[in-house]
């Protein structure tokens, strides 16, 4: 029983990191209906940036988090401006290819500059609590806490503020939003920045939990979160979280039962199986097509 | 049926006369005469067809305004067909000569080029002609490579009598291709229900699954890779396979299934409403495409003699994508151009080291922004067309 | 009208057809019959479910309940392309040509359903394949001739004028050699003279190709010139049927178009 609870906590921890990244995918998909494959690499850059930051000046966690989110957020907006905006009206295939290309560019630049995985310094004293046979570390509490906080903030922003309303409106009809005099481009840039910032925060939290940072993280972890977003129904915030926790728990289960090399195999198989039965994800809806 | 058509044509011509001025009619009278001669000439040449020459003549004499004669393209095509045949033979001869005359390096590049061309044209079938998006092409290549390598290294030695590799090598390559085609079937089934973004994700997941499955199978060496494959891929062989690929692809896209997938790209619902069985068209496309990717994989394995799962990662898929979108979508000539330019560029960029891996995706992004159709998009050299 | 449905056995029978989109009932208990060589007009205010009916008949969507019998064979569960093979072809309200392809290619894609070569024969391009391909190209050209758009054969379909696109779409549907042609607002966006040309064209087609027709149209003159009978739909139900003269005086039809009479 204790063992199960322990694993549940692990699953929640992994799931909340996936969830943060998946939210970024979903946000961007929501406003532009495009799959931003480069998002996983923004997550990886978040981890790298934080590492760099701590190497230069050791900052407290909250400040490092804010700075990372800010810088990577700007990078996300820049990416949108340079690569995605020129092809916004091109066929969907172009968007997929461009984002895939951007992701690989970011990954390989990082690889070229830092060919070997690096070790992440600890940002705070990690203490471990025991009660009733369950161990929980302060790291886990912080990771889950920060993720939950960010998710709640995002949810409040999307649902209760004017900005959130505009973002939701963009998902429905981009042209109409522009016609109403709202600077759609600026909002789209902001959404990209927001998604990237969430990804960067996840990168930081991931690097704290598993303190090895490498350029392949974007594909290894970032794309897993992408699976989560797709499983849940991409474009749907709640779906992204649902997918993240499903994926998190599946992975934790598979790690306890099978060699860790099967991790990718299981995650991607899960995606395929779910897409076979629900081609647009669990909470997603098929795009309507006028005949 | 034909007489009816003619009758109608007559009827319609009369209708048009009400609306069109007299001067136009005079003008067309002149045009018509020249057109009719050409038409009858054409007809007497080709006796088959659903129309007898009697009605054809009648047609021409009732031809409508601004109706030119059919473009007399037949002869052009025949010449270019013959020329391309000579070119193929010439290429075949030189594929035997080049390894003797030129350095190993040049031969090696040419082999890579031919393999790339096969890969490119097979991916172009899905991405260019059918307008779907597959990122999983490296997976088919991997299956072809591993399949043929297993047969060469593990199964052939079990046969008590020895066979010349001249006989067995094409069979092994075909076996790899068939294996890849077999795996292409479930992917095709998935493409019935999903398209666009989601199909891209499915192919991506498929690539990841194949890669990590290979990493977990110790029979083929797991992550360390598969060693000791004999170097059977020679320039004449790859040349032969490339020619076969282009020959079959050309036939396919000029058949009704080829037109079907082009129709699916343009408008899937309209295609269905025109009686296109989208399922069988998609199935054939995926099977043919994955078959040739598998062939390329087999040739690749026997060229570099060592394969490991990470040589078939997303970057490999991206490279094939670069070739397709550089050369030109929905174009066989484009595939050849793309593979050529890419292979040479890849060699030129060799000194960049790791940074070369940045340039290829960058090239892809720039292509998407500035010329998404590629060099030869939707166009074709006449030697890749078919006479009708 | 000399038309009597009882005499001939109908080729198409629709019985108690229903289609719900979520909670919305777009087609409600619709039943009608179509006799051979008949031309049936369908009119009704916007949102009456006319196009939905066409989508159901052509297999693009499946009905929630009810039956569609085509030569006494149930077709409501068949896919779009299967229905085309059975002989029902359609055009679309918002023209759906393959816009980037040439006019000739558009026709040839439709004509392809008559080609019989197998995949293997296609890949090896045997004599049969070549023969059939040649025939199909010729037949396509002839059809273009009929519609007097031969000169445009190698133009991309999307570059044609609106009227030519409509005509091409009808030509494309005819290349399937259908026994029933579903025409969804064929005269939309046409001017008066183009429209009369189209009426004559369709009359001719109907007579000579022996096709039945179902057509949705808003122009009464168009319906008048072509149709033997007319159905009036409103909110998914059949509110009247008969000759144009009959339905013109039908109280429910007047209500549907003009609103209820104030007492």
């Amino acid at each position: 029983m204790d063992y199960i609870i322990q694993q549940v906590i692990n699953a929640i921890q992994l799931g909340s990191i996936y969830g943060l990244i998946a939210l970024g995918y979903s946000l961007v998909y929501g406003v532009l209906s495009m799959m931003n494959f480069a998002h996983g690499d923004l997550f990886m850059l978040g981890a790298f940036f934080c590492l760099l930051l701590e190497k230069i000046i050791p900052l407290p966690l909250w400040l490092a988090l804010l700075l990372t989110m800010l810088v990577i957020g700007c990078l996300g907006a820049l990416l949108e401006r340079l690569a995605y905006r020129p092809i916004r009206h091109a066929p969907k295939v172009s968007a997929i290819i461009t984002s895939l290309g951007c992701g690989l560019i970011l990954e390989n630049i990082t690889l070229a500059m830092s060919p070997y995985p690096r070790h992440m310094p600890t940002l705070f004293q990690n203490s471990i609590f025991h009660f009733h046979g369950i161990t929980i570390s302060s790291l886990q509490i912080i990771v889950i806490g920060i993720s939950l906080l960010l998710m709640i903030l995002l949810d409040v922003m999307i649902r209760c503020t004017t900005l959130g309303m505009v973002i939701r409106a963009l998902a429905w009809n981009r042209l109409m939003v522009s016609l109403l005099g709202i600077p759609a481009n600026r909002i789209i840039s902001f959404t990209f920045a927001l998604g990237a910032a969430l990804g960067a925060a996840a990168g930081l939290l991931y690097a704290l939990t598993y303190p090895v940072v490498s350029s392949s993280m974007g594909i290894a972890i970032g794309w897993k979160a992408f699976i989560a977003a797709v499983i849940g129904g991409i474009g749907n915030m709640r779906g992204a979280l649902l997918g993240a926790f499903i994926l998190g728990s599946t992975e934790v289960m598979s790690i306890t039962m099978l060699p860790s090399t099967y991790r990718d195999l299981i995650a991607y198989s899960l995606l395929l199986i779910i897409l076979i039965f629900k081609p647009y994800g669990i909470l997603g809806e098929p795009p309507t097509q006028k005949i | 049926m034909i007489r009816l058509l003619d009758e109608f044509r007559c009827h319609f011509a009369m209708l048009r006369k009400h609306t069109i001025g007299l001067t136009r009619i005079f003008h067309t009278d002149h045009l018509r005469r020249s057109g009719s001669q050409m038409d009858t000439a054409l007809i007497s040449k080709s006796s088959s067809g659903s129309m007898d020459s009697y009605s054809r003549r009648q047609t021409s004499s009732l031809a409508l305004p601004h109706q030119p004669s059919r473009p007399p393209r037949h002869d052009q095509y025949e010449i270019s067909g013959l020329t391309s045949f000579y070119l193929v033979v010439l290429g075949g001869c030189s594929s035997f000569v080049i390894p003797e005359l030129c350095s190993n390096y040049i031969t090696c590049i040419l082999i890579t080029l031919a393999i790339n061309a096969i890969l490119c044209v097979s991916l172009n079938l899905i991405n260019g002609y059918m307008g779907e998006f597959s990122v999983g092409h490296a997976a088919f290549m991997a299956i072809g490579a591993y399949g043929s390598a297993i047969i060469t290294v593990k199964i052939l030695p079990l046969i008590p009598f020895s066979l010349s590799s001249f006989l067995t090598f094409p069979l092994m390559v075909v076996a790899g291709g068939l294996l890849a085609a077999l795996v292409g079937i479930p992917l095709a089934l998935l493409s019935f229900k999903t398209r666009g973004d989601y199909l891209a994700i499915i192919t991506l997941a498929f690539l990841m699954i194949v890669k990590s499955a290979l990493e977990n199978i110790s029979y083929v060496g797991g992550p360390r890779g598969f060693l000791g494959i004999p170097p059977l891929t020679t320039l004449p062989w790859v040349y032969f396979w490339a020619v076969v690929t282009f020959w079959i692809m050309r036939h396919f896209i000029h058949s009704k299934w080829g037109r079907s997938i082009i129709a699916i790209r343009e408008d899937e619902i309209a295609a269905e409403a025109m009686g296109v069985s989208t399922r069988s068209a998609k199935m054939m496309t995926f099977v043919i495409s994955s078959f040739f990717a598998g062939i390329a994989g087999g040739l690749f394995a026997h060229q570099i003699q060592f394969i490991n799962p990470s040589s078939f990662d997303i970057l490999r898929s991206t490279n094939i994508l670069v070739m397709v979108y550089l050369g030109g979508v929905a174009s066989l000539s484009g595939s050849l151009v793309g593979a050529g330019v890419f292979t040479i560029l890849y060699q030129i960029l060799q000194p960049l080291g790791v940074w070369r891996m940045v340039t290829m995706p960058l090239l892809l992004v720039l292509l998407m922004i500035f010329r998404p159709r590629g060099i030869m998009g939707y166009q074709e050299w006449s030697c890749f067309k078919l006479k009708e | 009208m000399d038309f009597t449905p009882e005499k001939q056995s109908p080729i198409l029978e629709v019985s108690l057809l229903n289609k719900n989109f979520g909670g919305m009932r777009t087609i409600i208990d619709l039943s009608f019959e179509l006799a051979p060589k008949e031309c049936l007009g369908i009119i009704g205010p916007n949102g009456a479910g006319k196009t939905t009916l066409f989508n159901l008949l052509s297999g693009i969507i499946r009905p929630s309940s009810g039956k569609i019998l085509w030569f006494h064979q149930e077709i409501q569960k068949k896919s779009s392309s299967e229905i085309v093979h059975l002989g029902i072809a359609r055009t679309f309200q918002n023209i759906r040509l393959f816009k980037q392809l040439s006019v000739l290619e558009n026709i040839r894609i439709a004509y392809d359903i008559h080609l019989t070569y197998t995949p293997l024969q296609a890949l090896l391009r045997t004599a049969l394949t070549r023969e059939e391909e040649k025939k199909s190209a010729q037949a396509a050209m002839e059809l273009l001739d009929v519609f007097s758009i031969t000169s445009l054969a190698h133009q991309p379909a999307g570059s044609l004028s609106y009227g030519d696109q409509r005509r091409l779409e009808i030509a494309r549907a005819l290349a399937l050699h259908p026994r029933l042609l579903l025409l969804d607002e064929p005269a939309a966006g046409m001017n008066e003279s183009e429209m009369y040309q189209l009426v004559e064209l369709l009359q001719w087609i109907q007579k000579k190709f022996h096709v039945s027709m179902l057509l949705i149209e808003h122009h009464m003159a168009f319906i008048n010139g072509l149709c033997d009978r007319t159905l009036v739909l409103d909110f998914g139900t059949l509110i009247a049927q008969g000759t144009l003269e009959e339905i013109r005086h039908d109280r429910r039809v007047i209500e549907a178009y003009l609103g209820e009479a104030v007492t």
Side-chain angles (χ1 to χ4, degrees), chain A residues 29 35 92-94 96-98 100-101 104-105 108 111-112 219 223 230 234 261 265 268 271-272 276 279, chain B residues 133 135 190 193-194 197-198 201-202 204-205 208-209 212 216 269 314 318 325 355 357-358 361-362 364-365 368:
Chain A
Y29 192 87
M35 308 256 176
K92 264 192 167 177
V93 171
S94 311
I96 302 176
I97 296 174
T98 309
L100 202 65
L104 285 168
I105 292 173
N108 288 323
L111 180 70
I219 287 180
W223 282 12
V230 176
I234 194 157
T261 46
L265 193 62
Y268 285 101
L271 170 74
L272 266 194
I276 288 169
Chain B
F133 186 68
V135 241
L190 285 171
K193 254 163 82 187
T194 48
D197 296 343
Y198 283 86
I201 294 166
I202 285 175
L204 180 70
M208 295 308 229
I209 288 172
S212 60
N216 283 301
I269 287 178
I314 185 77
T318 319
Y325 289 93
W355 288 95
M357 301 206 301
V358 180
L362 186 66
L364 191 57
V365 171
M368 280 301 113

Side-chain angles (χ1 to χ4, degrees), chain B residues 230-253:
Chain B
L232 295 176
T233 303
T234 55
L235 193 59
W237 269 127
V238 283
Y239 180 77
F240 166 74
W241 281 114
V243 169
V244 167
T245 311
F246 275 83
W247 189 67
I248 286 185
M249 285 291 179
R250 188 178 70 158
H251 290 167
F252 180 68
I253 57 169

Side-chain angles (χ1 to χ4, degrees), chain A residues 98-239:
Chain A
T98 309
S99 69
L100 202 65
C102 287
L104 285 168
I105 292 173
L106 292 179
E107 186 195 333
N108 288 323
I109 288 179
T110 321
L111 180 70
M113 296 202 298
S114 157
Y116 305 106
R118 286 165 183 249
H119 195 264
M120 178 83 183
T122 46
L123 296 188
F124 54 88
Q125 190 59 45
N126 194 6
S127 44
I128 292 169
F129 309 104
H130 296 272
F131 45 86
H132 307 297
I134 302 161
T135 31
I136 187 164
S137 63
S138 55
L139 181 73
Q140 280 176 319
I141 296 173
I142 285 175
V143 167
I144 295 171
I146 291 179
S147 313
L148 280 182
L149 183 73
L150 286 173
M151 285 171 194
I152 291 168
L153 279 178
L154 182 74
D155 191 54
V156 168
M157 201 206 78
I158 294 286
R159 279 194 303 130
C160 306
T161 63
T162 330
L163 187 66
M165 197 165 76
V166 175
I167 289 177
R168 276 181 291 149
L170 271 174
W172 284 106
N173 192 335
R174 197 188 317 151
L175 182 67
M176 196 60 218
V177 170
S178 328
L179 287 176
L180 290 172
I182 296 161
N185 274 335
R186 219 178 297 164
I187 306 286
I188 289 172
S189 292
F190 174 77
T191 316
F192 261 85
L194 195 67
L198 288 175
L204 195 162
L205 296 177
Y206 187 84
L208 285 178
T209 327
Y210 312 93
V212 178
V213 180
S214 78
S215 60
S216 62
M217 257 168 74
I219 287 180
I221 310 301
W223 282 12
K224 290 283 185 52
F226 179 60
I227 301 178
V230 176
I231 288 175
I234 194 157
N236 185 319
M237 304 289 158
R238 277 138 216 251

Side-chain angles (χ1 to χ4, degrees), chain C residues 10-231:
Chain C
I11 54 169
L12 180 77
E13 293 166 74
V14 172
S15 62
L16 292 174
L17 200 64
N18 276 290
K19 177 67 192 174
N20 308 337
F21 286 110
M24 204 168 79
R25 303 182 69 187
T26 343
I27 299 280
I28 305 160
D29 292 338
L30 185 65
S31 306
F32 67 90
E33 288 177 353
L34 184 75
K37 294 179 216 168
E38 193 188 6
C39 178
L40 188 60
I42 298 174
I43 60 170
N46 287 328
K50 305 183 294 289
T51 298
T52 309
L53 175 65
F54 268 29
N55 289 343
L56 288 169
L57 290 177
S58 59
I60 290 176
I61 52 178
R62 307 267 175 281
S64 307
S65 67
K67 273 182 191 167
I68 303 172
L69 294 177
W70 171 247
F71 288 99
H72 310 293
Q73 181 189 358
E74 288 191 21
I75 58 163
Q76 71 270 19
K77 289 202 178 77
K78 292 201 186 299
S79 77
S80 200
S81 66
E82 286 171 324
I83 287 177
V84 171
H85 283 270
L86 291 174
I88 302 180
R90 72 168 291 176
T91 66
F92 293 90
Q93 184 180 0
N94 40 347
I95 306 170
R96 294 192 90 129
L97 291 168
F98 306 115
K99 292 204 172 63
Q100 282 188 44
L101 305 187
S102 74
V103 169
L104 184 65
E105 283 170 311
N106 266 277
I107 304 278
R108 287 197 64 182
I109 286 166
Y111 196 83
D112 279 343
I113 67 164
H114 308 302
L115 304 187
T116 55
Y117 55 78
T118 60
L120 199 65
Q121 283 169 325
L123 295 184
L124 301 176
R125 209 167 175 87
T126 57
L128 174 75
T129 314
R130 278 201 295 273
E131 177 80 3
E132 286 196 334
E133 286 283 312
K134 202 167 169 182
K135 246 186 220 170
S136 119
Q138 272 175 1
M141 275 317 260
E142 279 152 23
L143 195 65
L144 288 182
D145 238 17
V146 172
F147 281 77
S148 73
I149 38 181
T150 324
S151 59
L152 305 169
H154 297 279
Q155 305 280 325
S159 71
L160 263 55
S161 75
Y162 198 75
D164 280 342
Q165 287 197 19
R166 285 258 175 234
R167 282 221 302 278
L168 175 58
E169 217 191 7
I170 296 171
R172 193 178 64 169
L174 279 178
L176 300 164
H177 297 174
R179 301 169 84 164
L180 170 61
L181 195 53
L182 308 175
L183 299 168
D184 199 343
E185 302 205 19
M190 282 190 178
N191 64 31
E192 199 90 328
S193 75
E194 280 177 322
M195 203 174 87
Y196 284 112
Q197 276 182 29
L198 188 64
V199 170
E200 297 205 23
L201 171 70
L202 289 174
Q203 277 172 343
W204 187 86
I205 288 171
Q206 194 191 9
K207 237 182 271 156
K208 301 300 171 188
F209 289 79
H210 301 294
V211 284
S212 315
M213 282 189 208
L214 256 175
L215 72 102
I216 296 175
E217 196 40 75
H218 285 299
H219 298 284
M220 284 306 140
F222 201 95
I223 298 262
N224 203 11
L226 274 170
C227 299
D228 311 307
R229 227 162 30 111
T230 305
L231 308 179

